[in-house]
Amino acid sequence: ICTGGAVAALLIINGMPVAVAMVAAFCAGALAGLVTAVLHTRMGIPPILAGILTQLALYSINLRIMGKSMLAVSVDKFDLLVSVRNQTSSCLVALVFVAAIIAALYWFFGTELGSAIRATGNNSNMARAQGINTKKMQVLAIVISNGIVGLCGGLLAQYQGNADINMGRGAIVIGLAAIVIGQVVFARVKNFAWRIAGTVFGAIAYYIVLTVVIWAGLSTHDLKLFSAIIVAIFLSIPHLKEKHMSKKKGGKKNA
């Protein structure tokens, strides 16, 4: 996120069109994803550790890109896509971006290449038995996903009016919460497009819960604690539900 935001902010400040800056943010994120993918698939480093190593290295790279800890991108000086000063317009732009990304992913994962990536994610051993180069699919999936993250970083930098070296902290928890909440809520939905949209719904639901916590008068210092609790609850729901169903089936058999 920070890398995408830093690249986008730097290019916008230097007079590049916002569209070009957003494309560059996507490419920067994709390149960072490629590093993570190579560390995992070619060097045998576990996926989580590979991501941590890339994130650690990016801190220094982001500082070199920006030249300092923060780059200001004022909506008064530049024609930005979104801004915290105009919530209505920003929400509409975000909605367009979300719809475009969902449509693009829905189309891509319906192609032969996209189906190979999905097969690798579902069962890599079976995908390998079908002649799919699973390592190549893993690399491609990580590159695409990190490219989208970089794109979001570019959008976030414009929205908040600056690219900050601390951008993206806690994003892993938010992303995990979004995916888990979306999977729980849309567990019975078979349509792939709606399942992708479920992640967006999960992110919104996550922030709604946090907003309610703040409205309840609880300290903002406890937000991290409540974030962990929210994620833990939704992570445990599928397991508890399965456990309950197993007991229910066992009771019927005994009867």
Side-chain angles (χ1 to χ4, degrees):
I1 289 179
C2 184
T3 304
V7 170
L10 182 66
L11 291 178
I12 292 172
I13 290 173
N14 283 278
M16 297 297 291
V18 174
V20 175
M22 294 298 287
V23 173
F26 177 90
C27 293
L31 184 61
L34 179 61
V35 174
T36 302
V38 170
L39 289 175
H40 171 53
T41 61
R42 302 300 178 186
M43 302 181 68
I45 299 175
I48 296 179
L49 184 55
I52 293 174
L53 289 174
T54 304
Q55 191 81 352
L56 183 64
L58 282 177
Y59 187 89
S60 298
I61 294 173
N62 293 336
L63 281 175
R64 287 189 173 273
I65 292 173
M66 296 189 292
K68 49 187 176 181
S69 60
M70 187 184 74
L71 281 179
V73 186
S74 175
V75 68
D76 297 327
K77 296 181 180 180
F78 307 100
D79 188 19
L80 305 180
L81 291 175
V82 292
S83 173
V84 70
R85 297 185 189 178
N86 194 335
Q87 295 290 334
T88 303
S89 175
S90 297
C91 286
L92 289 175
V93 172
L95 183 62
V96 170
F97 265 84
V98 167
I101 290 173
I102 291 175
L105 290 177
Y106 181 75
W107 169 82
F108 174 72
F109 284 114
T111 64
E112 184 176 348
L113 181 60
S115 298
I117 293 177
R118 292 177 65 184
T120 300
N122 287 328
N123 191 325
S124 59
N125 292 329
M126 181 62 70
R128 196 178 299 111
Q130 297 297 320
I132 297 174
N133 188 332
T134 54
K135 287 188 176 181
K136 182 180 178 180
M137 295 304 105
Q138 288 173 352
V139 170
L140 187 56
I142 296 173
V143 167
I144 292 173
S145 61
N146 279 269
I148 295 174
V149 172
L151 182 69
C152 294
L155 206 60
L156 178 60
Q158 295 176 62
Y159 176 76
Q160 65 185 22
N162 63 77
D164 185 82
I165 192 64
N166 292 315
M167 281 176 62
R169 290 207 171 174
I172 294 177
V173 175
I174 297 171
L176 178 62
I179 293 171
V180 172
I181 294 173
Q183 285 182 342
V184 170
V185 175
F186 290 84
R188 296 185 179 182
V189 177
K190 301 300 182 182
N191 186 279
F192 186 64
W194 280 108
R195 297 194 71 176
I196 299 175
T199 303
V200 180
F201 173 83
I204 295 173
Y206 172 81
Y207 275 105
I208 288 175
V209 173
L210 290 185
T211 302
V212 171
V213 169
I214 296 174
W215 281 348
L218 298 175
S219 174
T220 55
H221 296 296
D222 296 328
L223 282 180
K224 295 292 184 183
L225 173 62
F226 286 110
S227 297
I229 292 173
I230 293 169
V231 175
I233 290 173
F234 278 95
L235 278 172
S236 63
I237 286 176
H239 172 72
L240 294 176
K241 188 176 180 180
E242 185 179 349
K243 191 175 181 180
H244 174 72
M245 293 301 294
S246 298
K247 287 184 177 179
K248 198 172 180 180
K249 290 179 180 179
K252 288 182 179 179
K253 288 181 180 179
N254 293 331

